[in-house]
Amino acid sequence: MSLPVRERAPRPGGGRHRRPVPTSLPPDAPMLVLAAPGSAEGVAAEIAAVVRVDNPQIEVRLSPVDELADSLPSGRDAVVVPLLTWDDPAVLAAIGKAVAASGSGAVVTEALGPHPLLAEALHIRLAERGLARADRVRLLNVSSPVDAVILVTVGGERAVHGVQATAVLLASRLTLPVVAASLDSEPGVQMAAQRLRAAGAQRLAISPCLIGHEAPADLVQQAAAAIDAGHAEPLGAHSAIADLVARAYGSQLAS
Protein backbone atom coordinates (compact mmCIF):
# COMPACT_ATOMS: atom_id res chain seq x y z
CA MET A 1 0.00 0.00 0.00
CA SER A 2 1.34 3.43 -0.93
CA LEU A 3 1.96 5.85 1.90
CA PRO A 4 0.19 9.22 1.76
CA VAL A 5 2.23 11.85 -0.01
CA ARG A 6 2.46 15.36 1.32
CA GLU A 7 3.73 18.10 -0.95
CA ARG A 8 5.60 20.77 0.91
CA ALA A 9 4.84 24.43 0.46
CA PRO A 10 7.21 26.22 -1.93
CA ARG A 11 10.22 27.61 -0.12
CA PRO A 12 13.33 29.55 -0.98
CA GLY A 13 16.03 27.26 -2.32
CA GLY A 14 19.63 27.30 -3.42
CA GLY A 15 20.96 26.75 -6.88
CA ARG A 16 20.64 28.84 -9.99
CA HIS A 17 17.05 30.03 -9.50
CA ARG A 18 17.15 31.54 -6.03
CA ARG A 19 14.77 34.50 -6.42
CA PRO A 20 10.99 34.03 -6.61
CA VAL A 21 8.89 36.49 -8.58
CA PRO A 22 8.09 39.75 -6.72
CA THR A 23 4.45 40.12 -5.70
CA SER A 24 4.13 43.33 -7.72
CA LEU A 25 5.70 44.13 -11.07
CA PRO A 26 5.88 47.31 -13.15
CA PRO A 27 3.50 47.58 -16.14
CA ASP A 28 6.40 47.07 -18.55
CA ALA A 29 7.61 43.88 -16.85
CA PRO A 30 8.84 41.25 -19.32
CA MET A 31 6.45 38.63 -20.59
CA LEU A 32 7.20 35.06 -19.52
CA VAL A 33 7.30 32.78 -22.56
CA LEU A 34 7.37 29.04 -21.93
CA ALA A 35 9.18 27.22 -24.75
CA ALA A 36 7.91 23.66 -25.09
CA PRO A 37 9.79 21.06 -27.13
CA GLY A 38 7.13 19.42 -29.27
CA SER A 39 3.49 20.27 -28.65
CA ALA A 40 2.23 23.17 -26.55
CA GLU A 41 -0.77 21.07 -25.57
CA GLY A 42 -1.11 18.47 -22.83
CA VAL A 43 1.42 18.72 -20.02
CA ALA A 44 2.93 21.99 -21.31
CA ALA A 45 -0.50 23.65 -21.24
CA GLU A 46 -1.09 22.30 -17.73
CA ILE A 47 2.20 23.78 -16.51
CA ALA A 48 1.39 27.15 -18.09
CA ALA A 49 -2.00 27.13 -16.36
CA VAL A 50 -0.39 26.48 -12.97
CA VAL A 51 2.19 29.24 -13.53
CA ARG A 52 -0.60 31.70 -14.41
CA VAL A 53 -2.64 30.83 -11.31
CA ASP A 54 0.39 31.02 -8.99
CA ASN A 55 1.72 34.25 -10.55
CA PRO A 56 -1.22 36.40 -11.71
CA GLN A 57 1.07 39.43 -11.94
CA ILE A 58 2.96 37.86 -14.88
CA GLU A 59 1.74 37.72 -18.47
CA VAL A 60 2.45 34.13 -19.50
CA ARG A 61 2.60 32.86 -23.06
CA LEU A 62 3.19 29.25 -24.15
CA SER A 63 4.79 28.30 -27.46
CA PRO A 64 6.23 25.23 -29.15
CA VAL A 65 9.91 25.76 -29.86
CA ASP A 66 9.35 25.60 -33.64
CA GLU A 67 6.80 28.45 -33.43
CA LEU A 68 8.71 30.54 -30.91
CA ALA A 69 9.93 33.22 -33.34
CA ASP A 70 6.32 34.19 -34.11
CA SER A 71 5.26 34.01 -30.46
CA LEU A 72 7.77 36.49 -29.04
CA PRO A 73 6.37 39.98 -28.51
CA SER A 74 7.75 42.76 -30.71
CA GLY A 75 8.86 45.92 -28.97
CA ARG A 76 8.65 44.36 -25.55
CA ASP A 77 11.08 42.46 -23.35
CA ALA A 78 10.45 38.78 -22.72
CA VAL A 79 12.00 35.99 -20.66
CA VAL A 80 11.99 32.61 -22.38
CA VAL A 81 12.00 29.62 -20.02
CA PRO A 82 12.67 26.25 -21.68
CA LEU A 83 10.53 23.39 -20.35
CA LEU A 84 13.56 21.14 -19.92
CA THR A 85 15.00 19.28 -16.94
CA TRP A 86 18.56 19.66 -18.30
CA ASP A 87 20.37 21.98 -20.71
CA ASP A 88 19.67 20.04 -23.91
CA PRO A 89 22.00 21.76 -26.43
CA ALA A 90 19.86 20.91 -29.46
CA VAL A 91 16.71 22.43 -27.98
CA LEU A 92 18.56 25.44 -26.57
CA ALA A 93 20.16 26.07 -29.98
CA ALA A 94 16.73 25.98 -31.63
CA ILE A 95 15.42 28.43 -29.04
CA GLY A 96 18.40 30.73 -29.62
CA LYS A 97 17.82 30.70 -33.38
CA ALA A 98 14.14 31.50 -32.87
CA VAL A 99 14.95 34.44 -30.61
CA ALA A 100 17.46 35.76 -33.15
CA ALA A 101 14.97 35.35 -36.01
CA SER A 102 12.28 37.21 -34.07
CA GLY A 103 14.43 40.32 -33.71
CA SER A 104 13.28 40.65 -30.12
CA GLY A 105 15.48 41.30 -27.13
CA ALA A 106 14.22 38.19 -25.34
CA VAL A 107 16.46 36.55 -22.76
CA VAL A 108 16.62 32.75 -22.51
CA THR A 109 17.09 31.13 -19.11
CA GLU A 110 18.79 27.83 -18.33
CA ALA A 111 16.84 24.61 -17.95
CA LEU A 112 14.86 23.90 -14.78
CA GLY A 113 17.39 21.45 -13.38
CA PRO A 114 19.46 20.53 -11.58
CA HIS A 115 17.75 21.97 -8.51
CA PRO A 116 16.71 20.60 -5.09
CA LEU A 117 13.05 21.27 -5.96
CA LEU A 118 13.37 19.01 -9.00
CA ALA A 119 14.77 16.23 -6.82
CA GLU A 120 11.92 16.75 -4.36
CA ALA A 121 9.35 16.39 -7.14
CA LEU A 122 11.03 13.18 -8.36
CA HIS A 123 10.94 11.86 -4.79
CA ILE A 124 7.23 12.61 -4.52
CA ARG A 125 6.46 10.91 -7.83
CA LEU A 126 8.24 7.78 -6.57
CA ALA A 127 6.36 7.92 -3.27
CA GLU A 128 3.04 8.19 -5.10
CA ARG A 129 3.75 4.75 -6.56
CA GLY A 130 4.91 3.29 -3.25
CA LEU A 131 8.53 3.22 -4.48
CA ALA A 132 9.99 5.54 -1.84
CA ARG A 133 9.26 6.63 1.69
CA ALA A 134 6.87 9.55 1.51
CA ASP A 135 8.68 11.54 4.18
CA ARG A 136 12.29 10.82 5.03
CA VAL A 137 12.02 12.72 8.33
CA ARG A 138 8.87 11.21 9.82
CA LEU A 139 9.34 7.66 8.51
CA LEU A 140 12.99 6.84 9.07
CA ASN A 141 11.99 3.65 10.89
CA VAL A 142 10.28 2.29 7.76
CA SER A 143 12.49 0.25 5.44
CA SER A 144 12.84 1.49 1.88
CA PRO A 145 10.57 -0.22 -0.68
CA VAL A 146 13.47 -0.44 -3.18
CA ASP A 147 17.24 -0.87 -3.05
CA ALA A 148 18.20 1.58 -5.81
CA VAL A 149 16.75 3.94 -8.40
CA ILE A 150 17.52 4.45 -12.09
CA LEU A 151 16.98 8.07 -13.10
CA VAL A 152 16.04 7.98 -16.79
CA THR A 153 16.20 10.61 -19.49
CA VAL A 154 16.36 10.66 -23.30
CA GLY A 155 19.23 11.78 -25.48
CA GLY A 156 22.02 9.32 -24.84
CA GLU A 157 25.33 10.01 -23.11
CA ARG A 158 24.98 13.79 -23.22
CA ALA A 159 21.57 13.63 -21.54
CA VAL A 160 22.82 11.18 -18.92
CA HIS A 161 25.66 13.57 -18.10
CA GLY A 162 23.14 16.44 -17.99
CA VAL A 163 21.04 14.83 -15.24
CA GLN A 164 23.94 13.51 -13.11
CA ALA A 165 23.66 16.37 -10.63
CA THR A 166 19.93 15.69 -10.26
CA ALA A 167 20.75 12.00 -9.63
CA VAL A 168 23.08 13.06 -6.80
CA LEU A 169 20.39 15.31 -5.29
CA LEU A 170 17.81 12.51 -5.47
CA ALA A 171 20.22 9.99 -3.95
CA SER A 172 20.79 12.37 -1.05
CA ARG A 173 17.04 12.63 -0.45
CA LEU A 174 16.39 8.89 -0.69
CA THR A 175 19.65 7.76 0.97
CA LEU A 176 19.82 5.16 -1.82
CA PRO A 177 22.03 4.63 -4.88
CA VAL A 178 20.71 6.51 -7.93
CA VAL A 179 22.18 5.83 -11.38
CA ALA A 180 21.34 7.88 -14.47
CA ALA A 181 20.53 6.13 -17.76
CA SER A 182 19.11 6.90 -21.19
CA LEU A 183 15.84 5.43 -22.42
CA ASP A 184 16.65 5.72 -26.11
CA SER A 185 20.36 4.81 -26.40
CA GLU A 186 23.44 3.85 -24.42
CA PRO A 187 24.30 4.11 -21.57
CA GLY A 188 20.92 2.47 -21.20
CA VAL A 189 18.61 1.11 -18.55
CA GLN A 190 19.69 -2.52 -18.98
CA MET A 191 23.32 -1.62 -18.29
CA ALA A 192 22.36 0.43 -15.22
CA ALA A 193 20.23 -2.43 -13.87
CA GLN A 194 23.06 -4.93 -14.35
CA ARG A 195 25.50 -2.68 -12.50
CA LEU A 196 23.14 -2.13 -9.60
CA ARG A 197 22.19 -5.80 -9.25
CA ALA A 198 25.84 -6.83 -9.42
CA ALA A 199 26.37 -4.49 -6.46
CA GLY A 200 23.57 -6.21 -4.50
CA ALA A 201 20.57 -3.96 -5.28
CA GLN A 202 17.79 -6.36 -6.30
CA ARG A 203 14.65 -4.21 -5.99
CA LEU A 204 14.88 -1.42 -8.55
CA ALA A 205 12.69 1.53 -9.49
CA ILE A 206 12.76 3.83 -12.50
CA SER A 207 12.34 7.56 -11.94
CA PRO A 208 11.71 9.57 -15.14
CA CYS A 209 13.61 12.86 -15.13
CA LEU A 210 11.13 13.92 -17.78
CA ILE A 211 8.41 16.55 -17.81
CA GLY A 212 6.37 14.33 -20.11
CA HIS A 213 6.69 15.66 -23.64
CA GLU A 214 10.22 14.34 -24.23
CA ALA A 215 9.34 10.71 -24.98
CA PRO A 216 6.38 8.45 -25.82
CA ALA A 217 4.27 7.68 -22.76
CA ASP A 218 4.92 3.93 -22.90
CA LEU A 219 8.73 4.16 -23.16
CA VAL A 220 9.21 4.26 -19.38
CA GLN A 221 6.75 1.37 -18.87
CA GLN A 222 8.59 -0.77 -21.41
CA ALA A 223 11.97 -0.04 -19.82
CA ALA A 224 10.64 -0.93 -16.36
CA ALA A 225 9.07 -4.17 -17.58
CA ALA A 226 12.32 -5.18 -19.29
CA ILE A 227 14.25 -5.09 -16.00
CA ASP A 228 11.39 -6.15 -13.71
CA ALA A 229 11.25 -2.81 -11.91
CA GLY A 230 8.60 -0.41 -10.73
CA HIS A 231 8.38 3.06 -12.19
CA ALA A 232 7.13 6.51 -11.26
CA GLU A 233 5.16 8.86 -13.48
CA PRO A 234 6.92 11.74 -15.31
CA LEU A 235 7.06 15.07 -13.47
CA GLY A 236 4.16 16.55 -15.45
CA ALA A 237 2.58 19.68 -14.02
CA HIS A 238 3.94 19.10 -10.51
CA SER A 239 3.90 22.30 -8.46
CA ALA A 240 7.70 22.24 -8.26
CA ILE A 241 7.95 22.62 -12.05
CA ALA A 242 5.76 25.73 -12.00
CA ASP A 243 7.80 27.03 -9.06
CA LEU A 244 11.07 26.52 -10.95
CA VAL A 245 9.64 28.32 -13.99
CA ALA A 246 8.76 31.31 -11.80
CA ARG A 247 12.18 31.25 -10.16
CA ALA A 248 13.92 31.21 -13.54
CA TYR A 249 11.87 34.27 -14.53
CA GLY A 250 12.54 35.97 -11.19
CA SER A 251 16.28 35.40 -11.48
CA GLN A 252 16.29 37.33 -14.77
CA LEU A 253 14.42 40.24 -13.19
CA ALA A 254 16.97 40.33 -10.40
CA SER A 255 19.87 40.44 -12.84
Side-chain angles (χ1 to χ4, degrees):
M1 180 179 68
S2 298
L3 296 168
V5 178
R6 174 173 57 88
E7 290 195 23
R8 299 172 187 167
R11 64 185 188 279
R16 298 174 298 171
H17 310 317
R18 291 190 293 270
R19 293 179 179 270
V21 180
T23 54
S24 61
L25 295 172
D28 60 347
M31 176 186 293
L32 193 166
V33 180
L34 291 171
S39 173
E41 300 177 353
V43 64
E46 293 174 18
I47 293 169
V50 175
V51 173
R52 290 187 183 104
V53 169
D54 290 349
N55 304 275
Q57 74 277 34
I58 306 175
E59 183 178 351
V60 178
R61 182 176 292 180
L62 172 64
S63 172
V65 170
D66 58 6
E67 299 175 13
L68 184 59
D70 296 328
S71 299
L72 291 171
S74 58
R76 180 179 171 189
D77 291 338
V79 176
V80 179
V81 180
L83 286 179
L84 299 169
T85 58
W86 65 286
D87 287 322
D88 185 330
V91 177
L92 293 179
I95 291 173
K97 288 180 181 178
V99 170
S102 72
S104 73
V107 176
V108 183
T109 74
E110 296 172 307
L112 304 180
H115 193 282
L117 282 175
L118 190 63
E120 180 171 326
L122 291 165
H123 182 176
I124 290 172
R125 287 288 185 247
L126 285 164
E128 288 170 347
R129 284 293 187 91
L131 298 170
R133 293 192 301 264
D135 190 318
R136 59 178 178 165
V137 175
R138 294 185 296 113
L139 301 173
L140 281 177
N141 60 327
V142 178
S143 60
S144 174
V146 300
D147 302 319
V149 171
I150 301 174
L151 185 71
V152 295
T153 183
V154 291
E157 188 172 359
R158 181 174 281 177
V160 170
H161 179 75
V163 301
Q164 285 290 358
T166 299
V168 172
L169 291 168
L170 182 59
S172 178
R173 290 189 60 86
L174 300 175
T175 62
L176 291 173
V178 177
V179 174
S182 177
L183 285 168
D184 56 354
S185 58
E186 297 299 333
V189 174
Q190 287 280 2
M191 183 185 299
Q194 290 170 7
R195 284 175 50 200
L196 289 168
R197 287 189 166 126
Q202 298 304 310
R203 301 170 302 165
L204 304 181
I206 287 180
S207 174
C209 193
L210 306 169
I211 292 173
H213 46 58
E214 303 93 332
D218 59 353
L219 198 57
V220 173
Q221 298 173 5
Q222 292 172 3
I227 63 168
D228 190 25
H231 69 88
E233 291 296 313
L235 291 158
H238 189 280
S239 60
I241 299 299
D243 190 354
L244 286 170
V245 167
R247 287 167 183 263
Y249 177 85
S251 69
Q252 289 300 320
L253 295 187
S255 61

